[in-house]
Amino acid sequence: MDNSWATFGRDLHLDLSGPGGLRAALMRALREAVRTGRLAPGSRLPSSRSLAADLGIARNTVADAYAELVAEGWLSARQGSGTRVAWGYRPDGAGGASPGARATPPARRRPPEQDRRPDQPRFDLTPGTPDVSSFPRTAWLAAARRALTAAPHEVFGYGTAAGRPELRTVLADYLARARGVRADPDRIVVCAGFMQGLGLVSRALRGEGGGPPNWPGEVRGRTAQASRNPRRPGEDWRQGDGQLAVESYGLGFHRTVITRVGLRTVPLSVDERGARTSELSALDDVRAALLTPAHQFPMGVPLHPDRRAEAVNWARATGGYILEDDYDGEFRYDRQPVGALQGLDPDHVVYMGTASKSLAPGLRLAWMVLPDRLVDKVLAVKSTGEWQSGSLDQLTLAEFLSSGAYDRHLRTMRLRYRRRRDQLVAALTEHAPHVRISGIAAGLHAILELPPGAEQSTLQTAHRQGLAVHGLTFYTDPAATAVSRDALVVGYGTPPDHSFANVLDALVSALPAP
Amino acid sequence: MDNSWATFGRDLHLDLSGPGGLRAALMRALREAVRTGRLAPGSRLPSSRSLAADLGIARNTVADAYAELVAEGWLSARQGSGTRVAWGYRPDGAGGASPGARATPPARRRPPEQDRRPDQPRFDLTPGTPDVSSFPRTAWLAAARRALTAAPHEVFGYGTAAGRPELRTVLADYLARARGVRADPDRIVVCAGFMQGLGLVSRALRGEGGGPPNWPGEVRGRTAQASRNPRRPGEDWRQGDGQLAVESYGLGFHRTVITRVGLRTVPLSVDERGARTSELSALDDVRAALLTPAHQFPMGVPLHPDRRAEAVNWARATGGYILEDDYDGEFRYDRQPVGALQGLDPDHVVYMGTASKSLAPGLRLAWMVLPDRLVDKVLAVKSTGEWQSGSLDQLTLAEFLSSGAYDRHLRTMRLRYRRRRDQLVAALTEHAPHVRISGIAAGLHAILELPPGAEQSTLQTAHRQGLAVHGLTFYTDPAATAVSRDALVVGYGTPPDHSFANVLDALVSALPAP
């Protein structure tokens, strides 16, 4: 079997250069492969013997690296099953995504407590998933019944890339009301999760959707600032190359989606006012910037109003786009939600929302509100692949929204998550007052700042206790110049209600002493 | 607006060479663009003036070509809306797919008769869609309720690329019983339609899924016949290039899926015994053959037993694969269904089934049973894109299958489609005895053979009467050497029951006189 791994290192492009010796370099390379999803959760690694042979290094070096990564929770080792990528490290999060690994054998129905793989954590504080035990089954079923009963026959036939008109109509109303989005149904495209949407827009930006080489908006929108740039953006963009700016803290898997279509990513620094949008105008050949304006992921700050304006101005001046990842915009606790950036300029902002945080990732339903001149391009790209989400779920969500069940569910969950956040803050205040917590005004996760150098050891302690939690390092773009701070990213939305107190105990006891 | 079309001809690679003058060449090129999906249904064509300028030909030539294609039903022209690709020409069919065009504005609920676009046909005999008015709404809802009530919480979270274990377990049983497939749940991958599956397998064959350069099966499986070939298949395959054999009659859109990932297609002739599998061994660098063994699409013949053996032997000898598109294997009327080819050799046949014909395309649910050595590769490829179908529909289908509702629905529909087929045969026997009908032992469509040269004029008559129907030309691979016969491909599954008698009247009156 090990033969099949003979080229593992080469296939994964494990780069063993850099400081700190071979073991450190191998650990860095493996972490990066997990972080970017090149190594999927659950996938088996080669034996230390065969990887050592493949890389031409000592077997002990590989074995030691494996052991440390197991201790840190990146990998898991089981008797007879070899070393695998740990399940806790699914690259979920902001927009949300879990690249599937080979599934476990079909499971019988078991009580949830017994329903974990031997290498699964007992407690899960990784962000990206809401409390799925709170999915509103009864209300969803009622909406499905009403939707299916009233549906025209054509619903069961082939549909369109844009999605069901019923859903797009209701979404336009909802997004205007709840998020300040300037939407009309013809500019909404339903997609199967944020990841699919990001891939589609990236491909459209790369020119795959066809159309004229000079996009009208780019030429029309050019100003004095843009014309300092000798390149004619429209023409360059047709060549396929180009950059997409991403926040320096974010999800490696999102960067992978972008680079896979042939665009490069370039990091934008993040500070206490959110992404430093001033850096945009100094960057070359940037077509778009992927931002989390309502609630930076994972740092948890909203984008400052000045920077919101600055981002939109940059897009107008250069003919670029802001991709607004509004993954948890509905969840804000201490004041009114921050409206969508898209409201400032619907011609230069792609708004992207999802049901993965507000309802359930398992639905695979998300939506984009596109600038008019991107609609046909994105639909053209979508038509070349899996162009349509399941119609019945789309109709059910439309009914769920229009009946008010969605608002009711959000109110319930907002109270519940707020209570959890308050419990988290109280537990830290009592048991770990030296740990500063931030990013807690909104969303389903918080940042716990650790003493310098304490992140890895804290993670090791947490993982030994069966607590899945990520360090900020996991969400730091390796291309970013600033050094990542030591911190934990605590996704408090994930555990079911009944175990939340136990989860907090485990977390607190994993934190370093003052 | 027309400026945006300045490069239409270039972008579409309209090739105006070939016999018969510019008008004929332009018509050929536009038909091919529609057939392959490069021009999506509903998409707007440039004005004749601007296309003429773009191509450097006379405006009248373009206007005449448009007018004839409108008459033939490929395009539709409407006052104020310009010329568009007709909706009847969605590239559905065998595996089934309808690349979505920009959707029409949200529709209010209207009675079905009023629910068509002005350019939509009154009657639809294009194949690829079952009678969606017969979708078993009540039984489906009951299954959804049972499934959702019993579901473990994790169903609502992120899932795996393989699909829900509940569904894979039930599918393995069902496929073994109903189709003679040798399946186990670990080799089943749920996907969102045949098209997604075909794309995934094509990418895996091209080497995207990683793994060792020499696939064990290929090396192990090599025989005297294969070793006449100096190439080492495993190594070549990793280069990305290669060919996939397709039946010379089939769906242009399937070929487009294959070529888009970087493989070439090469046609296999089709005769009254199905695909001529003997041609496989004479072809170079062929990695797989896409076949419709149970019911050739669209010719309607089953693959002869000798050729089934021949196909499998070729795959064994060369380390290649048969991709078995079992799009309508459940519908056979006059004798027992032909078992799946996959039963002969699960290590060399990829079985691909779908709910699009048996239930509804709008569900976007299909499945593959993969040879063991393709499973990880296909899952790795799937994990890089939209890796997961909606969990609730997957659970509902599992419940629908295991409760027996699927079998009951199939029995009902089999009787209904068989009655339609008998009505079709009776109508032709009475009113058009000179038109030979074939391919009627199974499936949801039939071939009506026309006098030589009569296909285009028959289509024109049909389309003038508001009857959407395709000629065999539409399904003929332009790369095939044999000349397409004149015939209609009549999808009798599509219309709702209540209008079927009227549809038959319209069809019969469109047929040429004896």
Side-chain angles (χ1 to χ4, degrees), chain A residues 147-194:
Chain A
L148 197 51
T149 306
H153 292 317
E154 47 136 359
V155 161
F156 303 104
Y158 287 102
T160 64
R164 286 299 307 173
E166 296 90 341
L167 178 56
R168 291 184 287 117
T169 305
V170 174
L171 275 174
D173 290 345
Y174 169 77
L175 293 173
R177 169 169 62 78
R179 304 293 303 124
V181 173
R182 282 148 71 179
D184 74 82
D186 271 354
R187 292 188 293 109
I188 293 182
V189 173
V190 178
C191 48
F194 172 84

Side-chain angles (χ1 to χ4, degrees), chain B residues 82-150:
Chain B
T83 306
R84 288 175 184 269
V85 177
W87 285 93
Y89 276 101
R90 57 163 188 268
D92 291 348
S98 172
R102 182 155 186 177
T104 46
R108 299 157 307 289
R109 300 254 162 72
R110 288 167 301 190
E113 286 303 307
Q114 296 165 37
D115 199 23
R116 60 193 185 87
R117 304 175 192 84
D119 58 342
Q120 263 190 325
R122 258 189 317 149
F123 302 121
D124 190 357
L125 284 176
T126 55
T129 306
D131 172 9
V132 291
S133 75
S134 298
F135 184 82
R137 300 186 189 212
T138 310
W140 185 262
L141 260 174
R145 189 176 54 245
R146 292 193 300 271
L148 198 49
T149 307

Side-chain angles (χ1 to χ4, degrees), chain A residues 96 98 100 137 151 158 192 383 386-387, chain B residues 96 98 100 151 158 192 383 386-387:
Chain A
S98 173
R137 300 187 189 212
Y158 287 102
S383 299
E386 184 42 49
W387 75 98
Chain B
S98 172
Y158 287 101
S383 298
E386 185 38 51
W387 75 98

